[in-house]
Amino acid sequence: MAAPIVQQGGHQAHYTEADEKLFSKISWHLLPLLIICYIIAFLDRINIGFAQLQMKQTLPFSDAAYAFGAGVFFIGYFLFEVPSNLMLEKIGARKTLLRIMFLWGLCAAGMAFVETTTSFYILRFLLGVFEAGFFPGIILYLTYWYPSARRGQMIAIFMAATTVASVIAGPLCGGIMK
């Protein structure tokens, strides 16, 4: 079987059958977990609209409070994306992703204990802060495993997670609320 020829930096890169098997093995080890994490991240971003329907029964927040809580997430994300990326460069993708997933998980679990609008705003802000470096961290992590000729395809596969999350968000959130 002929090895595929791929353009790489102005010259052609030849991949052997062994290279193809190696990339396949790497992809099957990395991409499923990364895609699942990104689906969860995407759902976490958009879930406030669905959660509002259920939370209104137990928490007397106004529509404006939920809207501000949704927006304050992106304020935290915006303010801490650059610092998170600087930390990413210093400590590496693996440690950065571990930090993000751990703190993000703790913060998301803390949402179960929200009783006031202040605690709601703080936790939504912190979710944005903790999630800020997630996407750039994944992209950097993929650069460690794939040469530039393959990276675009792997990033496209990874980015398909947003489509999957969009498709499952409504039914999943509806099912959880029932």
Side-chain angles (χ1 to χ4, degrees), residues 80-100:
F80 284 86
E81 191 166 20
V82 171
S84 184
N85 288 335
L86 293 173
M87 185 181 288
L88 171 71
E89 187 177 323
K90 286 187 186 242
I91 68 172
R94 183 179 294 173
K95 289 180 183 175
T96 297
L97 293 174
L98 174 65
R99 169 188 56 87
I100 288 169

Side-chain angles (χ1 to χ4, degrees), residues 6 8 14 17 23 31-34 40 52 63 71 90 102-103 111 114-115 120 133 136 142 151 155 157 161 163:
V6 182
Q8 184 172 345
H14 296 274
E17 203 170 315
F23 288 131
L31 289 177
L33 178 62
L34 296 178
I40 293 168
Q52 175 187 1
D63 288 340
K90 286 187 186 242
F102 181 75
L103 294 173
M111 290 295 286
V114 166
E115 293 182 2
F120 177 62
L142 291 174
R151 199 172 309 131
I155 290 172
I157 291 170
T163 305

Side-chain angles (χ1 to χ4, degrees), residues 26-171:
I26 290 169
S27 297
W28 280 108
H29 277 59
L30 291 180
L31 289 177
L33 178 62
L34 296 178
I35 288 169
I36 290 168
C37 290
Y38 198 57
I39 288 171
I40 293 168
F42 191 80
L43 290 173
D44 187 47
R45 271 184 224 157
I46 64 171
N47 76 345
I48 195 63
F50 293 105
Q52 175 187 1
L53 300 172
Q54 191 74 16
M55 291 171 71
K56 277 188 170 184
Q57 296 175 7
T58 57
L59 298 173
F61 297 171
S62 67
D63 288 340
Y66 288 106
F68 185 73
V72 79
F73 169 90
F74 292 102
I75 294 170
Y77 196 99
F78 172 77
L79 292 175
F80 284 86
E81 191 166 20
V82 171
S84 184
N85 288 335
L86 293 173
M87 185 181 288
L88 171 71
E89 187 177 323
K90 286 187 186 242
I91 68 172
R94 183 179 294 173
K95 289 180 183 175
T96 297
L97 293 174
L98 174 65
R99 169 188 56 87
I100 288 169
M101 297 303 285
F102 181 75
L103 294 173
W104 172 25
L106 283 177
C107 193
M111 290 295 286
F113 303 103
V114 166
E115 293 182 2
T116 66
T117 54
T118 303
S119 62
F120 177 62
Y121 298 151
I122 289 169
L123 286 175
R124 287 296 295 176
F125 178 80
L126 289 175
L127 278 171
V129 169
F130 296 145
E131 195 182 317
F134 181 69
F135 181 77
I138 295 295
I139 300 303
L140 179 63
Y141 193 60
L142 291 174
T143 67
Y144 295 162
W145 289 98
Y146 296 102
S148 58
R150 287 217 178 246
R151 199 172 309 131
Q153 180 183 11
M154 296 305 114
I155 290 172
I157 291 170
F158 168 71
M159 291 296 299
T162 58
T163 305
V164 172
S166 296
V167 168
I168 66 170

